[in-house]
Amino acid sequence: MPSEKGAKMRATSPAGSLPFSEAVIEVALQQQEQANEAEKTRHIQTQIKLQLSELEKQNEAVMLEFWATEKHIGKLGDEIEHRRKHSENLEAQTQALYMENVNLQLSIEQEEEHFQLLLAGYNTYRNKMDAHREVIAYVEGKTATTRELLEKREIVKKLREKKEELRIDLENPEGNVVRQVQGDIYNLKIKISEVKATVNKKIACLVKEQEVHIQLKKEVEMQNRRCEAILKRLHCQLNKTQSNKRQWNWDIQQMERKVAELRKCLGITE
């Protein structure tokens, strides 16, 4: 030990060289202490450098994760926008189908009105025939002069012929008037059936589209809730990361301040 060696040297040295020996020993002890302090300082600097390197790696990893999270958030935003546009397209298609259904309903009502007009015309024709029968009966029962009688008989004859023609035409299922009216009625019924079938198909398609729209709307709402949850979690992670980053920056600043103080102390001792 240095203290034992100093004691031996003081015991064996002459009285005149005692202060010089003590000075040498003191210088040696100071150098030993300085060497130990320097070694400790180098060890602390090495530990600080390792910690700084580790903190820089952690900071790089956090930044990579942050940019990856930002990229993922951007993709989620694009997907939400795509879903929103798809939902708007479905809304437009549904509106178009609804308008088409309304137009078909109007067409059916117009056809029914046309059919009612035809039926009213047919009833008017029958009423006219009844009026002709009444006129004929009135003419037959009326007395007049011979000329008037002949004229009226001619008229009656013509009316009877016309009446017979009309009666035959009305009683004959193959008659022109009956056939025409029946044909118009049959065509109108077929057309109405076709229009109703088309309307039913359109209504079925509209119901199906509405069900698909409702399902897609539910999926979009579910996806929105999921995205909101993901965004909330990512924001929490981001806040936590930023808080950790501020803490690390503060730790780094403290370490750098301590390193600067240590370097300053080493520069003073040197």
Side-chain angles (χ1 to χ4, degrees), residues 8-23:
K8 290 180 181 178
M9 289 178 67
R10 285 193 298 269
T12 57
S13 298
S17 62
L18 183 58
F20 177 75
S21 299
E22 289 179 355

Side-chain angles (χ1 to χ4, degrees), residues 2 8 15 23 30 37 48 56 141 177 238 252 264:
K8 290 180 181 178
Q30 290 179 356
E37 289 294 331
I48 290 172
E56 289 177 354
V177 176
L238 180 61
I252 291 170
K264 185 177 180 181

